[in-house]
């Protein structure tokens, strides 16, 4: 392709930013843009101009589960800090079970913890894919809070267990609560000590699922769980906006 | 409205490895990126996957952001849009266009398509100018460009949606962009 031709270059940059340049031509253009300042300038031109259309994307609050996944991936808020056990990069990236891990795995078990260890920022180079390693660590676990949520007059219920120490909420749904799945969802809340609801995430429509405990949310001594009907993706405000369909105390299993 | 100066500070702190700032950045900006990703990807699971990718990338690349690259939210949304396009090209060839499988409702902030006055005031002259230039395009050219921008359509998909031959659609896009370039100037 005649990249020297200014018109062609302009058009490729425009179609690159618009997205209609695809496949191998797109990759080829990306390589070219990396090497050539004039091409970069043209890309920037279109990025700037077309970005004016961005305001028409309607903001939608993502589910809490996404942030939890990001934290796991970048290694923030690890369940168990690996800082003092950091293996050299080469060893950690290749070894499926480094020595320290074997030692841990051999210990008595109480809980299964998923550790994500990413070597981010340890070395200043492109990151290897994060590795998920499942290890058993001997952490004494208090028993979870449990509640059976059963909305009145509807053949649907959710068994919810909340394990604040493991930062995990497990929900098992049975029956079907009638909502318009195209536009609505059911969101789970815990009423805090101050009586204010805090989101625990969106309930699954069916089956079981694990939700990460949102950051900064703790369980009060006598927690009450509540469910409200919300727009798809969960409450846009962080507080219930739709009707509350039930509220039930949760008991600590003992 | 997201405070641009605040976002710049958060991005800079994120570049320095400040995890708390990164969390605040996410809180302040994620709904904007997620709205864009949902609109283009149409499926919540894909949009969530892409959102995760974007913030991991923002965490890694925060140091490459400089205020002269434009407003921080614009920069992050540009990152998100490219990510969405890449993901679409990988995923969409293999699947049917989803019929709202995941219950995702997709819409524009202003479905009536006119520019709302508040946005015009905030964006100022630039937006008005772009809109003016878009209005100067032929109907098919404008629709092709906007559909490609908002839906992430390929030429083929545009041809099918607009019910026109591939070559015709390609030239609508190309001419549309050329005329926009002339109208917008440097």
């Amino acid at each position: 392709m005649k990249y020297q031709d200014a018109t062609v270059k302009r058009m490729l940059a425009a179609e690159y930013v618009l997205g209609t340049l695809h496949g191998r031509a797109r990759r080829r253009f990306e390589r070219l843009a990396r090497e050539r300042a004039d091409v970069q300038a043209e890309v920037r031109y279109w990025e700037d101009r077309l970005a004016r259309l961005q305001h028409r994307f309607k903001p939608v609050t993502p589910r809490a589960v996404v942030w939890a996944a990001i934290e796991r991936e970048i290694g923030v808020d690890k369940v168990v800090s690996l800082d003092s056990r950091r293996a050299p990069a080469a060893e950690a990236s290749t070894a499926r079970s480094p020595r320290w891990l074997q030692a841990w795995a051999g210990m008595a078990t109480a809980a299964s913890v998923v550790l994500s260890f990413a070597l981010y920022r340890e070395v200043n180079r492109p990151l290897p894919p994060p590795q998920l390693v499942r290890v058993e660590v001997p952490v004494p676990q208090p028993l979870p809070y449990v509640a059976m949520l059963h909305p009145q007059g509807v053949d649907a219920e959710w068994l919810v267990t909340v394990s604040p120490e493991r930062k995990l909420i497990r929900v098992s749904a049975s029956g079907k609560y009638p909502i318009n799945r195209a536009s609505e969802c059911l969101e789970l809340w815990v009423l805090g000590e101050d009586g204010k609801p805090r989101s625990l995430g969106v309930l699954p429509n069916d089956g079981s699922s694990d939700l990460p405990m949102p950051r900064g949310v703790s369980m009060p001594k006598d927690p009450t769980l509540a469910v409200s009907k919300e727009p798809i993706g969960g409450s846009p405000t962080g507080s219930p906006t739709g009707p509350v369909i039930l509220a039930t105390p949760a008991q600590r299993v003992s | 409205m997201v405070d641009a100066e605040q976002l710049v500070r958060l991005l800079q702190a994120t570049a320095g490895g400040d995890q708390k700032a990164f969390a605040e950045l996410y809180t302040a900006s994620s709904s904007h990126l997620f709205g864009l990703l949902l609109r283009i990807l149409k499926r919540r699971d894909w949009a969530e996957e892409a959102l995760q990718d974007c913030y991991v990338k923002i965490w890694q690349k925060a140091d490459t952001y400089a205020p002269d690259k434009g407003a921080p939210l614009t920069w992050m949304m540009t990152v998100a849009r490219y990510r969405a396009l890449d993901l679409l090209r990988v995923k969409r060839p293999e699947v049917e266009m989803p019929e709202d499988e995941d219950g995702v409702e997709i819409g524009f902030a202003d479905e009536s398509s006119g520019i709302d006055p508040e946005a015009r005031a905030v964006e100022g002259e630039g937006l008005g100018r772009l809109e003016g230039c878009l209005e100067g395009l032929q109907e098919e050219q404008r629709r092709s460009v906007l559909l490609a921008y908002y839906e992430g359509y390929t030429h083929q998909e545009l041809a099918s949606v607009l019910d026109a031959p591939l070559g015709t659609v390609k030239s609508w896009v190309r001419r549309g962009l050329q005329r926009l370039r002339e109208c917008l100037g440097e």
Side-chain angles (χ1 to χ4, degrees):
Chain A
M1 200 164 301
K2 292 172 284 178
Y3 288 129
Q4 298 303 329
D5 184 326
T7 319
V8 172
K9 182 187 77 190
R10 278 186 169 194
M11 204 34 51
L12 286 172
E15 296 224 27
Y16 172 79
V17 176
L18 188 64
T20 46
L21 185 68
H22 29 91
R24 280 166 50 201
R26 189 171 184 85
R27 299 282 92 85
R28 206 159 51 223
F29 181 81
E30 276 171 351
R31 280 198 299 277
L32 180 80
R34 273 198 289 276
E35 294 159 9
R36 298 243 316 243
D38 58 337
V39 176
Q40 275 169 34
E42 199 59 29
V43 168
R44 283 283 308 284
Y45 174 92
W46 282 106
E47 285 178 353
D48 280 357
R49 300 313 185 281
L50 293 183
R52 312 275 181 193
L53 297 170
Q54 284 174 356
H55 75 99
R56 277 167 70 177
F57 290 111
K58 181 172 134 195
V60 180
T61 305
R63 298 189 300 160
V65 65
V66 183
W67 173 247
I70 293 167
E71 284 193 312
R72 265 204 307 279
E73 195 169 343
I74 68 172
V76 180
D77 195 28
K78 280 174 281 216
V79 180
V80 176
S81 170
L82 292 179
D83 284 357
S84 58
R85 299 172 178 271
R86 213 169 254 170
E91 182 187 335
S93 62
T94 54
R96 289 216 166 262
S97 59
R99 277 184 302 283
W100 61 266
L101 190 60
Q102 289 166 357
W104 276 19
M107 289 173 159
T109 64
S112 158
V113 179
V114 176
L115 296 180
S116 150
F117 66 90
L119 304 171
Y120 295 179
R121 305 204 169 208
E122 283 187 18
V123 279
N124 190 15
R125 61 186 166 85
L127 302 173
Q131 302 191 355
L132 287 176
V133 184
R134 191 174 286 275
V135 293
E136 303 289 340
V137 289
V139 183
Q141 294 285 339
L143 292 162
Y145 293 87
V146 177
M148 180 63 88
L149 312 182
H150 184 75
Q152 248 184 341
V154 179
D155 183 24
E157 58 188 18
W158 298 270
L159 175 64
V160 178
T161 59
V162 181
S163 313
E165 294 77 14
R166 294 173 58 194
K167 298 185 185 302
L168 188 67
I169 302 159
R170 183 156 286 175
V171 184
S172 169
S174 54
K176 280 247 155 69
Y177 190 88
I179 52 168
N180 178 358
R181 289 170 62 168
S183 60
E184 295 171 330
C185 70
L186 295 173
E187 189 160 0
L188 179 65
W189 307 87
V190 60
L191 301 185
E193 218 91 60
D194 55 1
K196 278 194 195 145
R198 292 191 172 77
S199 176
L200 293 178
V202 173
L203 289 175
N205 287 309
D206 39 43
S208 304
S209 67
D210 288 349
L211 312 172
M213 185 102 177
R215 274 159 67 89
V217 175
S218 55
M219 293 295 276
K221 220 166 103 239
D222 298 306
T224 294
L225 299 183
V227 174
S228 70
K229 200 188 276 188
E230 298 296 341
I232 190 84
S235 161
T237 65
S239 299
T241 60
V244 174
I245 64 166
L246 63 87
T248 309
Q251 310 283 339
R252 186 136 225 177
V253 182
S254 55
Chain B
M1 191 59 205
V2 183
D3 179 348
E5 272 178 39
Q6 171 71 0
L7 287 185
V8 172
R9 275 197 299 279
L10 291 174
L11 263 175
Q12 282 166 348
T14 299
D18 182 340
Q19 297 169 352
K20 196 165 157 285
F22 181 57
E24 281 178 48
L25 180 73
Y26 179 85
T27 306
S29 58
S30 57
S31 65
H32 294 272
L33 271 67
F34 192 55
L36 176 153
L37 292 167
L38 265 184
R39 172 82 211 176
I40 296 179
L41 292 167
K42 313 276 192 289
R43 281 179 46 160
R44 180 151 88 169
D45 52 347
W46 293 357
E48 287 180 339
E49 180 187 338
L51 188 67
Q52 183 180 341
D53 294 345
C54 287
Y55 278 92
V56 169
K57 191 159 180 200
I58 288 166
W59 167 253
Q60 294 163 1
K61 304 263 178 174
D63 57 342
T64 66
Y65 171 76
D68 70 356
K69 285 198 173 172
L73 188 60
T74 305
W75 177 71
M76 288 191 282
M77 287 179 79
T78 303
V79 169
R81 197 167 165 280
Y82 283 139
R83 180 66 204 139
L85 291 175
D86 282 347
L87 207 60
L88 261 193
R89 304 297 179 247
V90 174
K91 299 206 168 189
R92 202 145 69 187
E94 303 155 20
V95 297
E96 296 286 310
M97 287 286 286
E99 192 71 45
D100 199 17
E101 177 207 281
D102 221 1
V104 175
E105 193 177 59
I106 297 145
F108 279 144
D110 50 346
E111 202 64 68
S112 60
S113 106
I115 303 300
D116 70 290
E118 195 186 335
R120 192 187 285 276
V122 172
E123 297 278 342
E125 214 174 282
L127 175 62
R129 183 153 188 192
L130 180 72
E131 293 291 327
C133 288
L134 278 168
E135 276 164 29
L137 301 185
Q138 284 171 14
E139 174 64 23
E140 296 86 355
Q141 296 172 350
R142 181 172 59 247
R143 284 189 71 197
S144 307
V145 169
L146 289 178
L147 282 171
Y149 185 84
Y150 285 115
E151 311 292 341
Y153 285 160
T154 61
H155 287 130
Q156 252 92 16
E157 287 165 328
L158 284 172
S160 131
V161 168
L162 298 172
D163 197 19
L166 184 59
T168 309
V169 168
K170 282 187 178 175
S171 92
W172 283 341
V173 172
R174 203 169 53 239
R175 298 238 170 90
L177 289 168
Q178 264 162 3
R179 287 189 65 173
L180 268 186
R181 185 76 164 81
E182 288 156 17
C183 175
L184 289 165
E186 286 309 314

